[in-house]
Amino acid sequence: EQAPPAGSAPAAQAPAPAAPAAAAAGGAAATAEAKQIFETRCFTCHGANGAGDGPASAGLTPPPRNFQDPAWQASVTDEHIRQIIQYGGAAVGKSPAMPGNPDLMSKPEVVDALRALVRGLAKASGS
């Protein structure tokens, strides 16, 4: 019998694409979890579209942040948004009514997905 042709050797490299696929799956899972968190925790005050008009926003002083505001979006860093998500408003000199999410401390990929969601709300608003 003959040895396989040289062109058939790359079959050993086939598993390599699994790493990006696994990362993509992890990213998709983090994005799905972030969306679920926004819809259950953040929506209450910030509203479904992040305009600060959620059902619990009426009695809050100061009012919840409007994530659609381009001036605010331009004024904050991604790290600032991550800090607020994890530690709450008081940790960054803002309203203590904005609670932290200590359960997300061990989930940086979910925090990043929430940050991306918040950033995306400005684009979604057409502003």
Side-chain angles (χ1 to χ4, degrees):
E1 294 192 6
Q2 291 183 333
S8 66
Q13 296 175 350
T31 299
E33 186 173 348
K35 185 174 187 245
Q36 185 270 334
I37 288 169
F38 191 89
E39 291 172 353
T40 56
R41 298 181 195 181
C42 311
F43 151 82
T44 306
C45 297
H46 293 285
N49 296 313
D53 59 354
S57 68
L60 295 177
T61 303
R65 174 70 57 206
N66 176 357
F67 298 138
Q68 296 179 3
D69 179 9
W72 175 78
Q73 287 278 354
S75 74
V76 295
T77 64
D78 288 351
E79 183 57 28
H80 182 84
I81 294 171
R82 284 187 201 96
Q83 292 294 313
I84 291 174
I85 291 168
Q86 292 180 26
Y87 301 104
V92 295
K94 300 297 179 185
S95 174
M98 167 60 203
N101 295 279
D103 61 312
L104 299 180
M105 299 295 183
S106 64
K107 297 181 175 187
E109 68 284 352
V110 176
V111 173
D112 280 339
L114 274 165
R115 179 210 39 84
L117 191 154
V118 166
R119 288 292 195 194
L121 291 168
K123 295 177 183 99
S125 71
S127 298

